[in-house]
Amino acid sequence: MSPVSRGRKTKKTRARRGAPSLASVHAEMVRSFQVMTTEGEPLDVEVFTSDLVGAWWHGVPPDEGSADVIGLGAVQFGLQQGTPAAQAMLRAFAAVAATPELREAADAGANALAERGVADPPWAESIGRAEVGECLRLSDVYGDQTSIYCEFRYGSDRHALAVLLDSDPVGWVSDAWITNDPDELFAGVRQQAADDPELTVLDRIDPAEARRMIEEGIVERDAVGDLGPIGEDEDEVPESFREFRALALARCRVMPEPAPVADPVEVPEPERARLVEEFLGSAEAKELPDTPETRSCARVIVDFGADFDEGRPLRVSPAKVEMFVHDWLPDEELDNEVVEAMPAVLVAWTRWAGERSQLPAAAVTNVVEQAEGAPATSWRPTMTSTLSPTWRTSMRTVPKRRPFLSGGCLRCRSSAP
C-alpha cells in the first residue's frame, strides 16, 4: 500500500469516527429501551433510566446550558418515532427524570403516543409508585456525617435507598445507591451502631424528614458546579451517585412533603461574649495565660461556630476542627501573638465544649486529639489532613450493591444491537 492510499484511508476513518450527532444519540437512547417494551420490573427500568439520565447530568458542562437539552430533544425524537421503544423511554423519563420540565414533557409525549395507539410497556402503570416503609438514620455523634436508609416496595418486592450526607456545615449528599436486600442492609446498619455506641447514633427518622435531608443535600451537591471526574477517589464524584442520583430524587417524590425548616439561629453579640467568659472561667482554661491574646483566640473560635456552623458555637468535631484550621484561620487577619496562642486555646476549647455538649468520653478524646495535632505553624490550606477517626471510615462500609436485575442485567441487554 502506497503512502498516498494510506493517507486517504486514514482521512476516511477519521471522518467516520467524529463525534456522534445528537440525532444518533437520541436514536440509540430509544433503541436501548427496546427490550423493556415487553418485559422488565419497575425497579429494573428505574435503575437503567437513572443511569442514563446521570450520564448527561454529569457530562454536560454548566456553561453549555442545561443537561435537559439532551433529554428534551430525546422526547421530541421519541414523539417523531412513535414506536413502542420510544413509548417505553417516555414513560421511564416521566417517572425518573430529575427535573419537572423533562418529566412533564415526557408524560405529555407518552400520553400523545398512547392516543395514537402506541402500546404501553407492562410496567407503565406501576413505575414511580413505590411505597415507602421504614427509614433509619445512622449518624456520628458530632453531626459531621449522616447516612439515611429507606425501605421501599412494589407489592411484595422490596428494595432500599441508602444516602450518605456530609456536613461542612450544610448537609450535602456525597453518595447514594440502591440495594435489593433491605434486610441485609438494615442488619448491617444496626450492627455498626452496636459495634461503636460511643461514636454513632442510630434512630428511626420520619420519611418526610428523610426526604428533606436528601433533597436539600442533592441541591447542595449540585450547587458545587464543577463536580469533577467520576471515580472512586475521595475528591471524585462516586460512580454510584451519578448512577442513582435521579432515582434517589424519584424516591423522595413518593415520600410525604417535608415541613418547613426554620432558618439558623443568629447568635447575638451578648451571647458570644458570654460564651467567651464562661470558657475562660472554666477548669479547662485555667492553665491558659490571662492575656488579650487568649481572649481573642476564644472569640475567634466562637465567631467561627456562630457564623460558619449555622449558629452552633458549642458544637465540636474532628471535621469542624479541620475546617477551622484549614479554611477559616488562613483568611483571618490575626496578629502573630494570637496565632501563637491559638493551639493551646483550641485544645482547651474543644475539651470544654465537648464535655459541655455531653459528648461521650471517646468522642471528646477524638476531637481533642485532632486539635492537638494542629500546630499554629501548619495552619495553611495545604496542611495534610489528620482526620481519620474510625467513625468516618466505617460509615462507608455499609453494604453497597447494585440491584440484582431479574432476567439478567437490563443495562447490558439493552445495549445489544
Side-chain angles (χ1 to χ4, degrees), residues 27-287:
E28 179 59 30
M29 289 167 64
V30 170
R31 282 194 297 271
S32 71
F33 281 89
Q34 181 60 47
V35 70
M36 288 169 267
T37 58
T38 57
E39 61 180 280
E41 298 297 324
L43 179 60
D44 297 342
V45 179
E46 288 172 316
V47 169
F48 176 85
T49 307
S50 182
D51 190 9
L52 180 63
V53 170
W56 74 65
W57 161 77
H58 184 269
V60 175
D63 59 355
E64 292 187 13
S66 170
D68 260 5
V69 170
I70 298 177
L72 293 172
V75 169
Q76 293 303 314
F77 185 87
L79 274 170
Q80 295 170 5
Q81 294 295 298
T83 62
Q87 180 71 323
M89 180 188 71
L90 294 177
R91 291 298 188 198
F93 281 0
V96 180
T99 64
E101 293 79 9
L102 182 51
R103 291 195 302 273
E104 292 168 5
D107 185 59
N111 291 337
L113 289 188
E115 292 178 359
R116 285 157 51 182
V118 181
D120 270 326
W123 40 262
E125 289 296 322
S126 55
I127 188 171
R129 294 177 172 83
E131 296 180 354
V132 64
E134 183 180 22
C135 292
L136 297 181
R137 171 173 53 192
L138 181 65
S139 305
D140 65 73
V141 295
Y142 307 107
D144 282 338
Q145 193 173 69
T146 298
S147 296
I148 295 176
Y149 308 95
C150 292
E151 177 189 359
F152 298 88
R153 65 177 66 238
Y154 279 114
S156 60
D157 294 332
R158 300 162 57 234
H159 60 279
L161 168 68
V163 178
L164 182 63
L165 296 106
D166 287 301
S167 177
D168 58 355
V170 178
W172 57 278
V173 172
S174 57
D175 205 356
W177 63 93
I178 291 285
T179 175
N180 69 323
D181 194 341
D183 293 334
E184 180 183 347
L185 177 67
F186 281 31
V189 170
R190 291 188 172 97
Q191 188 60 53
Q192 272 194 27
D195 290 343
D196 204 0
E198 287 196 289
L199 294 179
T200 58
V201 178
L202 177 65
D203 63 346
R204 284 187 173 88
I205 181 173
D206 185 88
E209 176 64 7
R211 172 179 179 172
R212 182 192 66 79
M213 294 179 67
I214 295 170
E215 287 183 331
E216 290 182 357
I218 290 178
V219 168
E220 291 294 333
R221 180 60 183 259
D222 291 352
V224 172
D226 183 7
L227 294 172
I230 296 290
E232 299 300 328
D233 292 341
E234 184 176 351
D235 295 332
E236 294 179 330
V237 180
E239 174 68 21
S240 50
F241 177 71
R242 180 204 61 76
E243 182 177 359
F244 292 111
R245 172 182 173 274
L247 184 48
L249 290 170
R251 286 296 172 267
C252 285
R253 293 192 292 274
V254 305
M255 296 184 189
E257 287 281 348
V261 177
D263 293 333
V265 177
E266 187 74 25
V267 182
E269 170 62 31
E271 176 64 12
R272 299 185 189 209
R274 187 193 66 78
L275 285 174
V276 170
E277 295 302 325
E278 184 180 348
F279 163 65
L280 293 177
S282 68
E284 289 78 9
K286 66 180 181 180
E287 300 297 329

Side-chain angles (χ1 to χ4, degrees), residues 235 322-332 375-386:
D235 295 332
E322 189 178 39
M323 282 185 282
F324 177 70
V325 172
H326 292 189
D327 302 327
W328 186 269
L329 284 179
D331 292 334
E332 293 293 294
T377 55
S378 298
W379 286 347
R380 296 294 181 269
T382 56
M383 174 182 173
T384 301
S385 172
T386 59

